[in-house]
PDB file of all heavy atoms in Angstrom:
ATOM      1  N   GLY A 201      -4.833  -7.636   2.974  1.00 97.00           N
ATOM      2  CA  GLY A 201      -5.307  -6.809   1.874  1.00 97.00           C
ATOM      3  C   GLY A 201      -5.676  -7.686   0.702  1.00 97.00           C
ATOM      4  O   GLY A 201      -5.114  -8.769   0.532  1.00 97.00           O
ATOM      5  N   GLY A 202      -6.589  -7.206  -0.107  1.00 97.00           N
ATOM      6  CA  GLY A 202      -7.020  -7.961  -1.285  1.00 97.00           C
ATOM      7  C   GLY A 202      -8.477  -8.353  -1.147  1.00 97.00           C
ATOM      8  O   GLY A 202      -8.790  -9.299  -0.445  1.00 97.00           O
ATOM      9  N   GLY A 203      -9.355  -7.577  -1.808  1.00 96.00           N
ATOM     10  CA  GLY A 203     -10.765  -7.917  -1.801  1.00 96.00           C
ATOM     11  C   GLY A 203     -11.480  -7.685  -0.493  1.00 96.00           C
ATOM     12  O   GLY A 203     -12.537  -8.263  -0.245  1.00 96.00           O
ATOM     13  N   ILE A 204     -10.945  -6.809   0.374  1.00 97.00           N
ATOM     14  CA  ILE A 204     -11.597  -6.523   1.656  1.00 97.00           C
ATOM     15  C   ILE A 204     -12.700  -5.517   1.433  1.00 97.00           C
ATOM     16  O   ILE A 204     -12.483  -4.425   0.842  1.00 97.00           O
ATOM     17  CB  ILE A 204     -10.600  -6.013   2.696  1.00 97.00           C
ATOM     18  CG1 ILE A 204      -9.599  -7.130   3.052  1.00 97.00           C
ATOM     19  CG2 ILE A 204     -11.307  -5.531   3.949  1.00 97.00           C
ATOM     20  CD1 ILE A 204      -8.560  -6.706   4.089  1.00 97.00           C
ATOM     21  N   THR A 205     -13.898  -5.840   1.891  1.00 97.00           N
ATOM     22  CA  THR A 205     -15.064  -4.964   1.772  1.00 97.00           C
ATOM     23  C   THR A 205     -15.808  -4.927   3.098  1.00 97.00           C
ATOM     24  O   THR A 205     -15.485  -5.667   4.042  1.00 97.00           O
ATOM     25  CB  THR A 205     -16.035  -5.458   0.673  1.00 97.00           C
ATOM     26  OG1 THR A 205     -16.642  -6.666   1.105  1.00 97.00           O
ATOM     27  CG2 THR A 205     -15.305  -5.704  -0.650  1.00 97.00           C
ATOM     28  N   GLU A 206     -16.870  -4.117   3.147  1.00 95.00           N
ATOM     29  CA  GLU A 206     -17.704  -4.057   4.341  1.00 95.00           C
ATOM     30  C   GLU A 206     -18.414  -5.382   4.598  1.00 95.00           C
ATOM     31  O   GLU A 206     -18.866  -5.664   5.717  1.00 95.00           O
ATOM     32  CB  GLU A 206     -18.718  -2.920   4.239  1.00 95.00           C
ATOM     33  CG  GLU A 206     -19.646  -2.973   3.025  1.00 95.00           C
ATOM     34  CD  GLU A 206     -19.080  -2.261   1.806  1.00 95.00           C
ATOM     35  OE1 GLU A 206     -17.817  -2.192   1.652  1.00 95.00           O
ATOM     36  OE2 GLU A 206     -19.908  -1.752   1.013  1.00 95.00           O
ATOM     37  N   ARG A 207     -18.497  -6.249   3.596  1.00 96.00           N
ATOM     38  CA  ARG A 207     -19.204  -7.522   3.770  1.00 96.00           C
ATOM     39  C   ARG A 207     -18.331  -8.599   4.406  1.00 96.00           C
ATOM     40  O   ARG A 207     -18.855  -9.574   4.957  1.00 96.00           O
ATOM     41  CB  ARG A 207     -19.698  -8.035   2.387  1.00 96.00           C
ATOM     42  CG  ARG A 207     -20.800  -7.177   1.806  1.00 96.00           C
ATOM     43  CD  ARG A 207     -21.310  -7.731   0.489  1.00 96.00           C
ATOM     44  NE  ARG A 207     -20.286  -7.787  -0.535  1.00 96.00           N
ATOM     45  CZ  ARG A 207     -19.937  -6.754  -1.303  1.00 96.00           C
ATOM     46  NH1 ARG A 207     -20.526  -5.588  -1.159  1.00 96.00           N
ATOM     47  NH2 ARG A 207     -18.980  -6.871  -2.206  1.00 96.00           N
ATOM     48  N   ASN A 208     -17.003  -8.457   4.301  1.00 97.00           N
ATOM     49  CA  ASN A 208     -16.154  -9.530   4.849  1.00 97.00           C
ATOM     50  C   ASN A 208     -15.112  -9.063   5.871  1.00 97.00           C
ATOM     51  O   ASN A 208     -14.378  -9.878   6.412  1.00 97.00           O
ATOM     52  CB  ASN A 208     -15.439 -10.274   3.693  1.00 97.00           C
ATOM     53  CG  ASN A 208     -14.542  -9.351   2.868  1.00 97.00           C
ATOM     54  OD1 ASN A 208     -14.003  -8.364   3.353  1.00 97.00           O
ATOM     55  ND2 ASN A 208     -14.355  -9.692   1.592  1.00 97.00           N
ATOM     56  N   LEU A 209     -15.057  -7.753   6.155  1.00 97.00           N
ATOM     57  CA  LEU A 209     -14.016  -7.253   7.031  1.00 97.00           C
ATOM     58  C   LEU A 209     -14.071  -7.878   8.424  1.00 97.00           C
ATOM     59  O   LEU A 209     -13.043  -8.301   8.968  1.00 97.00           O
ATOM     60  CB  LEU A 209     -14.110  -5.726   7.157  1.00 97.00           C
ATOM     61  CG  LEU A 209     -13.148  -5.106   8.158  1.00 97.00           C
ATOM     62  CD1 LEU A 209     -11.693  -5.392   7.817  1.00 97.00           C
ATOM     63  CD2 LEU A 209     -13.374  -3.575   8.245  1.00 97.00           C
ATOM     64  N   GLN A 210     -15.259  -7.997   9.003  1.00 95.00           N
ATOM     65  CA  GLN A 210     -15.351  -8.536  10.358  1.00 95.00           C
ATOM     66  C   GLN A 210     -14.825  -9.963  10.393  1.00 95.00           C
ATOM     67  O   GLN A 210     -14.101 -10.351  11.318  1.00 95.00           O
ATOM     68  CB  GLN A 210     -16.783  -8.486  10.879  1.00 95.00           C
ATOM     69  CG  GLN A 210     -16.886  -8.946  12.328  1.00 95.00           C
ATOM     70  CD  GLN A 210     -18.196  -8.590  12.982  1.00 95.00           C
ATOM     71  OE1 GLN A 210     -18.883  -7.701  12.524  1.00 95.00           O
ATOM     72  NE2 GLN A 210     -18.522  -9.292  14.059  1.00 95.00           N
ATOM     73  N   ARG A 211     -15.176 -10.783   9.403  1.00 97.00           N
ATOM     74  CA  ARG A 211     -14.672 -12.160   9.353  1.00 97.00           C
ATOM     75  C   ARG A 211     -13.149 -12.197   9.258  1.00 97.00           C
ATOM     76  O   ARG A 211     -12.488 -13.029   9.892  1.00 97.00           O
ATOM     77  CB  ARG A 211     -15.279 -12.888   8.155  1.00 97.00           C
ATOM     78  CG  ARG A 211     -16.761 -13.197   8.308  1.00 97.00           C
ATOM     79  CD  ARG A 211     -17.334 -13.777   7.027  1.00 97.00           C
ATOM     80  NE  ARG A 211     -16.701 -15.055   6.678  1.00 97.00           N
ATOM     81  CZ  ARG A 211     -16.889 -15.705   5.506  1.00 97.00           C
ATOM     82  NH1 ARG A 211     -17.657 -15.128   4.587  1.00 97.00           N
ATOM     83  NH2 ARG A 211     -16.305 -16.837   5.290  1.00 97.00           N
ATOM     84  N   ILE A 212     -12.580 -11.275   8.492  1.00 97.00           N
ATOM     85  CA  ILE A 212     -11.123 -11.249   8.317  1.00 97.00           C
ATOM     86  C   ILE A 212     -10.430 -10.839   9.615  1.00 97.00           C
ATOM     87  O   ILE A 212      -9.433 -11.422  10.022  1.00 97.00           O
ATOM     88  CB  ILE A 212     -10.754 -10.309   7.156  1.00 97.00           C
ATOM     89  CG1 ILE A 212     -11.188 -10.950   5.827  1.00 97.00           C
ATOM     90  CG2 ILE A 212      -9.248 -10.021   7.144  1.00 97.00           C
ATOM     91  CD1 ILE A 212     -11.147 -10.008   4.645  1.00 97.00           C
ATOM     92  N   LEU A 213     -10.996  -9.811  10.282  1.00 95.00           N
ATOM     93  CA  LEU A 213     -10.411  -9.389  11.549  1.00 95.00           C
ATOM     94  C   LEU A 213     -10.547 -10.463  12.624  1.00 95.00           C
ATOM     95  O   LEU A 213      -9.598 -10.738  13.373  1.00 95.00           O
ATOM     96  CB  LEU A 213     -11.065  -8.097  12.036  1.00 95.00           C
ATOM     97  CG  LEU A 213     -10.817  -6.850  11.158  1.00 95.00           C
ATOM     98  CD1 LEU A 213     -11.604  -5.658  11.698  1.00 95.00           C
ATOM     99  CD2 LEU A 213      -9.328  -6.520  11.108  1.00 95.00           C
ATOM    100  N   GLU A 214     -11.715 -11.100  12.718  1.00 95.00           N
ATOM    101  CA  GLU A 214     -11.943 -12.158  13.681  1.00 95.00           C
ATOM    102  C   GLU A 214     -11.026 -13.355  13.440  1.00 95.00           C
ATOM    103  O   GLU A 214     -10.478 -13.940  14.388  1.00 95.00           O
ATOM    104  CB  GLU A 214     -13.399 -12.639  13.597  1.00 95.00           C
ATOM    105  CG  GLU A 214     -14.416 -11.696  14.196  1.00 95.00           C
ATOM    106  CD  GLU A 214     -15.842 -12.153  13.993  1.00 95.00           C
ATOM    107  OE1 GLU A 214     -16.060 -13.046  13.143  1.00 95.00           O
ATOM    108  OE2 GLU A 214     -16.723 -11.643  14.662  1.00 95.00           O
ATOM    109  N   GLY A 215     -10.840 -13.679  12.179  1.00 96.00           N
ATOM    110  CA  GLY A 215     -10.077 -14.889  11.840  1.00 96.00           C
ATOM    111  C   GLY A 215      -8.577 -14.717  11.743  1.00 96.00           C
ATOM    112  O   GLY A 215      -7.839 -15.712  11.671  1.00 96.00           O
ATOM    113  N   SER A 216      -8.108 -13.469  11.731  1.00 96.00           N
ATOM    114  CA  SER A 216      -6.671 -13.255  11.525  1.00 96.00           C
ATOM    115  C   SER A 216      -5.930 -12.748  12.754  1.00 96.00           C
ATOM    116  O   SER A 216      -4.750 -13.035  12.935  1.00 96.00           O
ATOM    117  CB  SER A 216      -6.465 -12.239  10.383  1.00 96.00           C
ATOM    118  OG  SER A 216      -6.939 -10.951  10.757  1.00 96.00           O
ATOM    119  N   GLY A 217      -6.603 -11.952  13.574  1.00 95.00           N
ATOM    120  CA  GLY A 217      -5.924 -11.311  14.695  1.00 95.00           C
ATOM    121  C   GLY A 217      -5.161 -10.086  14.278  1.00 95.00           C
ATOM    122  O   GLY A 217      -4.385  -9.515  15.071  1.00 95.00           O
ATOM    123  N   ALA A 218      -5.338  -9.628  13.024  1.00 96.00           N
ATOM    124  CA  ALA A 218      -4.625  -8.449  12.532  1.00 96.00           C
ATOM    125  C   ALA A 218      -5.236  -7.191  13.079  1.00 96.00           C
ATOM    126  O   ALA A 218      -6.417  -7.138  13.418  1.00 96.00           O
ATOM    127  CB  ALA A 218      -4.674  -8.431  11.006  1.00 96.00           C
ATOM    128  N   THR A 219      -4.433  -6.119  13.220  1.00 95.00           N
ATOM    129  CA  THR A 219      -4.930  -4.825  13.679  1.00 95.00           C
ATOM    130  C   THR A 219      -4.779  -3.733  12.617  1.00 95.00           C
ATOM    131  O   THR A 219      -5.214  -2.604  12.826  1.00 95.00           O
ATOM    132  CB  THR A 219      -4.178  -4.390  14.953  1.00 95.00           C
ATOM    133  OG1 THR A 219      -2.779  -4.382  14.700  1.00 95.00           O
ATOM    134  CG2 THR A 219      -4.508  -5.314  16.105  1.00 95.00           C
TER     135      THR A 219
END
Side-chain angles (χ1 to χ4, degrees):
I204 294 180
T205 69
E206 58 270 30
R207 293 182 298 277
N208 61 28
L209 175 59
Q210 184 165 340
R211 289 174 62 190
I212 291 167
L213 293 177
E214 287 175 344
S216 67
T219 55

